[in-house]
């Protein structure tokens, strides 16, 4: 988001909070990419924001959604430097740092790299990969797996 100078605006599954709708108007945002499936952001919510919408970017879970975002935006953002962060609920704030850094961010489990993330790391031939979060969020074994995937 940062690399493209695009804000990240939050909605709940079933509504757009007043702060989000206010920000959309204040920033004169006319279009958006909805990230997440209908189980996370309902079609009613998407339509209620009154935005021209790019195709929804989603996967079967948050790990696949992060990989889909990486795939959808790689040409715009570049893959010379990427980030990985824990996809567990308590560590998702680490993943936001990747967006603030202007990097595509893939989600991993603390002790493993999901197949969808491995595939994106290998396909994009990431030159440098930042791991966001401490060893409780991403273990040393997972770091090794990230290195192997990004160099395959």
């Amino acid at each position: 988001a940062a690399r493209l100078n695009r804000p990240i605006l939050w909605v709940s599954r079933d509504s757009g909070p007043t702060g989000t709708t206010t920000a959309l108007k204040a920033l004169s945002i006319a279009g958006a990419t909805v990230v997440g499936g209908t189980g996370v952001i309902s079609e009613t919510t998407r339509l209620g924001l009154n935005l021209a919408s790019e195709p929804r970017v989603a996967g079967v879970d948050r790990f696949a959604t992060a990989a889909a975002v990486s795939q959808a935006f790689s040409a715009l953002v570049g893959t010379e430097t990427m980030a990985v962060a824990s996809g567990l609920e308590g560590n998702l704030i680490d993943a936001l740092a990747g967006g603030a850094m202007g990097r595509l961010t893939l989600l991993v489990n603390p002790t493993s790299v999901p197949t969808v993330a491995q595939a994106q790391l290998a396909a994009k031939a990431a030159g440098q990969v930042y791991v966001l979060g401490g060893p409780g969020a991403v273990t040393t074994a997972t770091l090794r797996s990230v290195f192997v995937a990004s160099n395959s």
Side-chain angles (χ1 to χ4, degrees):
R3 170 102 24 119
L4 299 174
N5 199 27
R6 294 183 180 175
I8 296 173
L9 300 171
W10 302 105
V11 297
S12 67
R13 182 191 182 289
D14 296 314
S15 69
T18 303
T20 297
T21 55
T22 300
L24 289 169
K25 289 176 185 163
L27 297 170
S28 300
I29 295 173
T33 300
V34 175
V35 176
T38 56
V40 178
I41 301 171
S42 71
E43 193 62 10
T44 302
T45 298
R46 185 188 71 78
L47 293 171
L49 295 172
N50 296 317
L51 298 170
S53 219
E54 301 288 323
R56 184 184 289 263
V57 179
V60 297
D61 58 23
R62 65 180 61 163
F63 302 94
T65 297
V69 168
S70 172
Q71 187 170 15
F73 288 95
S74 63
L76 294 169
V77 176
T79 60
E80 65 280 353
T81 304
M82 296 178 73
V84 297
S86 172
L88 296 186
E89 197 75 34
N91 301 99
L92 286 175
I93 196 73
D94 295 334
L96 289 177
M101 293 167 53
R103 304 294 176 220
L104 296 173
T105 304
L106 297 168
L107 299 179
V108 298
N109 287 302
T111 58
S112 65
V113 180
T115 305
V116 291
Q118 288 177 7
Q120 283 299 301
L121 286 166
K124 303 306 180 200
Q128 185 174 17
V129 179
Y130 289 102
V131 177
L132 308 172
V138 181
T139 64
T140 302
T142 302
L143 289 174
R144 285 190 206 105
S145 296
V146 166
F147 177 79
V148 169
S150 65
N151 289 288
S152 60

